[in-house]
Amino acid sequence: MANEVILLDFWPSMFGMRTRIALREKGVEFEYREEDLRNKSPLLLQMNPIHKKIPVLIHNGKPVCESSIQVQYIDEVWSHKNPILPSDPYQRAQARFWADFIDKKVYDVSRKTWTTKGEELEAAKKELIEILKTLESELGDKPYFGGDEFGYVDIALIGFYTWFPAYEKFGNLSIESECPKLMVWVKKCLERETVAKSLPDPHKVTEFVAELRKRFGLE
Amino acid sequence: MANEVILLDFWPSMFGMRTRIALREKGVEFEYREEDLRNKSPLLLQMNPIHKKIPVLIHNGKPVCESSIQVQYIDEVWSHKNPILPSDPYQRAQARFWADFIDKKVYDVSRKTWTTKGEELEAAKKELIEILKTLESELGDKPYFGGDEFGYVDIALIGFYTWFPAYEKFGNLSIESECPKLMVWVKKCLERETVAKSLPDPHKVTEFVAELRKRFGLE
């Protein structure tokens, strides 16, 4: 079967970054289509009528929505190389647990570092650092979250790194000094071509966030 | 390997119900341990230090947390009978999408039917019915969400049914008249012994919610 793979995405999306990395890990050729989120394409609305969100992976005309589900789908369809989830059921459950932790905890609170002020901002900063320290503790002295091999949890988290300078600038915090081991892991992930090619320049993300703050009347 | 399976659970939990059903679908013997959520056991805190929530599945001394992850784990470990997820990667992704939709949408809004009043309650009722109608539409004329076989999405949703009378009584709404096809699906699920044995009496859940409302100062 011919594989036609289209990714509807938006460049600063940490969720889209997951799917880009997973596709590149598997060596899958794909057509990247940038969406304008203020004027979503008819294809996006047709392919993800429930959430109307990017990323949407379209494989031979059929949509797969939600980045974590896309990454698992990619791992199952292109199972011939670079396994993303471990093969052992218990290790798979652990990987799913930490990816789910990232989904439930990191996005909402990190967003508050650049959308809130005063007490709400202080609470968000404290919580974000606690969450990142929990992740750092789970990483421990392993090179990657799953051990020696780059995998599912690494893919779930690494895109957030491109937003760290924005969290630091607008939230006035230092992730590097609070979580030095996590930053060692970031550098190791960035050495992978599949990651480096899939992540935007963090300075561009910071400029994008500054624009959003203006648009939201926060500056 | 001997399989020692312990489930830390709380009887009205729609999340615990998922794991009970999955274990029974696979014919796995397990020790059910009821937790007092106002006085959590040292074992619960040790086995789920991150979320400190039930259900926790303990398999040969090792914990698996989060109900959706437990159900997938059970399906992978006891793969010899009653598959829960479809074998086709695309169908698996679709099943994961709808279970994720239930996780993201149903709990928070349904809780508001018995914890809020006035405009917030009216908005929650409207949203809950919309969500259930979306699920009913996805179900269509199939007997189960995945088609002819009971599976992952059915397991994700069916426990909420035991809370429907509480949502209806305290939120003053009628799920049965709004979503008649969904109720046909409920009855079909309840014909399965694995489901019937795993779900509490909805009237007991309603009494439990009435108690919670008193405790929260809502009555």
Side-chain angles (χ1 to χ4, degrees):
Chain A
M1 184 168 70
N3 281 310
E4 186 201 56
V5 180
I6 298 168
L7 181 63
L8 309 183
D9 202 347
F10 180 54
W11 68 271
S13 167
M14 53 283 264
F15 304 108
M17 294 175 209
R18 295 173 175 177
T19 307
R20 293 173 221 164
I21 294 170
L23 288 167
R24 292 194 170 108
E25 282 287 321
K26 298 293 187 174
V28 177
E29 298 278 329
F30 64 99
E31 182 190 336
Y32 179 98
R33 288 198 198 167
E34 187 74 5
E35 282 285 333
D36 175 357
L37 298 189
R38 285 186 288 178
N39 183 21
K40 295 176 182 177
S41 74
L43 186 62
L44 173 57
L45 301 178
Q46 177 200 335
M47 289 287 165
N48 190 357
I50 300 294
H51 299 305
K52 302 177 179 69
K53 285 181 180 172
I54 58 92
V56 178
L57 179 74
I58 308 174
H59 183 201
N60 295 330
K62 293 193 294 181
V64 177
C65 301
E66 300 293 280
S67 62
S68 295
I69 297 172
Q70 289 162 3
V71 173
Q72 291 181 76
Y73 175 77
I74 291 164
D75 198 33
E76 292 177 5
V77 170
W78 291 278
S79 54
H80 63 293
K81 71 178 271 194
N82 289 359
I84 292 172
L85 278 149
S87 58
D88 172 70
Y90 190 76
Q91 296 304 322
R92 290 165 75 85
Q94 293 305 102
R96 287 191 177 117
F97 175 85
W98 286 107
D100 177 75
F101 175 84
I102 293 162
D103 277 351
K104 284 183 177 148
K105 300 282 186 180
V106 181
Y107 181 78
D108 287 344
V109 73
S110 64
R111 189 177 160 85
K112 287 184 185 164
T113 61
W114 58 272
T115 55
T116 66
K117 289 182 178 171
E119 277 182 30
E120 201 178 353
L121 173 60
E122 290 311 310
K125 284 162 65 171
K126 191 163 167 272
E127 197 185 341
L128 178 60
I129 294 300
E130 274 171 22
I131 290 165
L132 294 177
K133 279 182 187 289
T134 299
L135 287 164
E136 194 177 44
S137 160
E138 168 59 20
L139 177 66
D141 292 320
K142 305 187 295 285
Y144 298 113
F145 279 91
D148 290 333
E149 302 298 332
F150 179 78
Y152 192 58
V153 183
D154 307 301
I155 290 175
L157 185 61
I158 189 63
F160 284 94
Y161 143 78
T162 63
W163 287 66
F164 283 0
Y167 305 155
E168 294 183 321
K169 178 174 179 178
F170 300 113
N172 188 29
L173 72 157
S174 170
I175 295 171
E176 179 133 26
S177 64
E178 296 274 6
C179 305
K181 281 188 173 180
L182 201 65
M183 297 311 292
V184 172
W185 164 83
V186 165
K187 288 191 184 81
K188 186 145 183 71
C189 290
L190 288 173
E191 287 169 11
R192 289 182 84 83
E193 198 191 337
T194 60
V195 176
K197 272 186 84 166
S198 303
L199 265 45
D201 181 342
H203 293 106
K204 274 187 65 184
V205 174
T206 309
E207 284 168 20
F208 169 71
V209 174
E211 279 301 312
L212 283 182
R213 282 169 54 90
K214 273 185 205 155
R215 198 189 299 163
F216 297 168
L218 295 165
E219 297 244 319
Chain B
M1 184 168 70
N3 280 310
E4 186 201 54
V5 179
I6 298 168
L7 181 63
L8 308 183
D9 202 347
F10 180 53
W11 68 271
S13 168
M14 53 282 265
F15 304 108
M17 294 175 210
R18 295 173 173 176
T19 307
R20 292 172 223 164
I21 295 169
L23 288 168
R24 291 195 170 109
E25 282 288 320
K26 298 294 187 173
V28 176
E29 298 277 330
F30 64 99
E31 181 190 337
Y32 179 96
R33 288 197 199 167
E34 187 74 6
E35 282 284 333
D36 175 356
L37 297 189
R38 286 186 287 178
N39 183 22
K40 295 176 183 176
S41 73
L43 186 64
L44 173 57
L45 301 177
Q46 177 200 335
M47 289 287 165
N48 191 357
I50 299 296
H51 298 305
K52 303 177 180 68
K53 284 181 182 172
I54 57 93
V56 178
L57 179 73
I58 308 173
H59 183 200
N60 295 330
K62 293 193 293 182
V64 177
C65 300
E66 299 295 280
S67 63
S68 296
I69 298 171
Q70 289 162 3
V71 173
Q72 291 182 77
Y73 175 78
I74 291 165
D75 198 33
E76 292 177 3
V77 170
W78 290 278
S79 55
H80 64 292
K81 70 179 271 191
N82 290 358
I84 292 172
L85 279 149
S87 58
D88 173 70
Y90 189 75
Q91 296 306 322
R92 290 165 74 84
Q94 292 306 101
R96 288 191 177 117
F97 176 84
W98 286 106
D100 178 73
F101 175 83
I102 292 163
D103 277 351
K104 284 181 176 149
K105 299 281 186 179
V106 181
Y107 181 78
D108 286 346
V109 72
S110 64
R111 190 178 159 85
K112 286 183 186 164
T113 60
W114 57 273
T115 55
T116 66
K117 289 181 177 172
E119 277 182 30
E120 200 178 355
L121 173 60
E122 290 312 310
K125 283 162 65 171
K126 190 164 167 274
E127 197 185 342
L128 177 60
I129 294 299
E130 273 171 20
I131 290 165
L132 294 178
K133 279 183 187 289
T134 299
L135 286 164
E136 194 177 43
S137 160
E138 167 60 19
L139 177 66
D141 292 320
K142 305 187 294 288
Y144 298 113
F145 279 91
D148 290 333
E149 302 298 331
F150 178 78
Y152 191 58
V153 183
D154 307 301
I155 290 175
L157 185 61
I158 189 61
F160 284 94
Y161 142 78
T162 63
W163 287 67
F164 283 1
Y167 305 155
E168 294 184 321
K169 177 175 179 177
F170 302 112
N172 188 27
L173 72 156
S174 170
I175 294 171
E176 180 132 26
S177 66
E178 296 275 6
C179 305
K181 280 189 174 179
L182 201 65
M183 296 313 291
V184 171
W185 164 84
V186 164
K187 287 189 186 81
K188 186 148 182 67
C189 289
L190 287 174
E191 288 169 11
R192 289 182 85 83
E193 196 190 338
T194 60
V195 176
K197 272 187 84 166
S198 303
L199 264 46
D201 181 343
H203 293 107
K204 273 187 66 183
V205 174
T206 309
E207 284 169 21
F208 169 71
V209 175
E211 279 299 312
L212 282 182
R213 282 169 53 90
K214 274 185 204 155
R215 200 189 298 163
F216 296 169
L218 295 165
E219 296 243 321

